[in-house]
Amino acid sequence: MHRWKSLLAFLVVTFAAAALGSLSMPDAWYAALNKPSFNPPNWIFGPVWTVLYVLIAVAGWRVWKQAGGWCGALSLWLLQLVLNGFWTPLFFSMHRIDFALIDIVALVLVLIATIVAFFKRDRVAAWMLVPYLAWVSFATLLTASIYRLNPGG
């Protein structure tokens, strides 16, 4: 039973970060921005992020379970979650595409470090973060393109 409670805790923490980010959603400012041709439709983000957040939570839980508690790899996991949570308000609420770009580049770097650290503890957990890395890498390209197309935001 303790095992399932800990998984629930990882899911709650992960989705709490997602919920905080979701307080800042696309608005008229975003709709007016110039976007690259490869910008996905808005409806795709919800389903993709839901799957990714489940993978993020389960990966963290697996490492926690394998390590027998908190470890350095989970500190990286938490840091990437914080960086993830900051991107949305930076971009959508503050309209700071430049700061959002800095944040997401830092997220990619911390996420790579997290995957490497997880790989040493639980290879399945590390591989569970690869789709997240792919999506965030795409989001980095998208953010950089929007920044380039909208000088001064």
Side-chain angles (χ1 to χ4, degrees), residues 64-131:
W64 178 84
K65 190 174 63 159
Q66 189 282 332
W70 201 261
C71 62
L74 288 173
S75 295
L76 289 168
W77 176 86
L78 186 59
L79 179 57
Q80 65 76 29
L81 202 57
V82 168
L83 289 168
N84 178 312
F86 277 139
W87 184 91
T88 305
L90 286 171
F91 190 92
F92 289 113
S93 293
M94 297 173 68
H95 303 163
R96 292 304 306 253
I97 304 169
D98 52 350
F99 289 173
L101 182 57
I102 292 166
D103 176 80
I104 202 166
V105 168
L107 172 56
V108 168
L109 296 173
V110 172
L111 185 50
I112 290 168
T114 305
I115 292 170
V116 169
F118 275 25
F119 195 78
K120 295 174 184 175
R121 294 215 172 251
D122 183 326
R123 290 181 180 191
V124 172
W127 282 108
M128 290 176 83
L129 294 179
V130 170

Side-chain angles (χ1 to χ4, degrees), residues 11-100:
L11 287 164
V12 166
V13 167
T14 303
F15 278 93
L20 287 175
S22 72
L23 296 176
S24 306
M25 296 309 292
D27 57 8
W29 170 82
Y30 176 73
L33 289 175
N34 295 314
K35 296 174 200 74
S37 61
F38 58 88
N39 191 71
N42 289 343
W43 66 264
I44 198 88
F45 292 96
V48 168
W49 276 112
T50 300
V51 171
L52 293 176
Y53 282 128
V54 169
L55 289 171
I56 293 164
V58 173
W61 172 72
R62 286 181 60 95
V63 169
W64 178 84
K65 190 174 63 159
Q66 189 282 332
W70 201 261
C71 62
L74 288 173
S75 295
L76 289 168
W77 176 86
L78 186 59
L79 179 57
Q80 65 76 29
L81 202 57
V82 168
L83 289 168
N84 178 312
F86 277 139
W87 184 91
T88 305
L90 286 171
F91 190 92
F92 289 113
S93 293
M94 297 173 68
H95 303 163
R96 292 304 306 253
I97 304 169
D98 52 350
F99 289 173

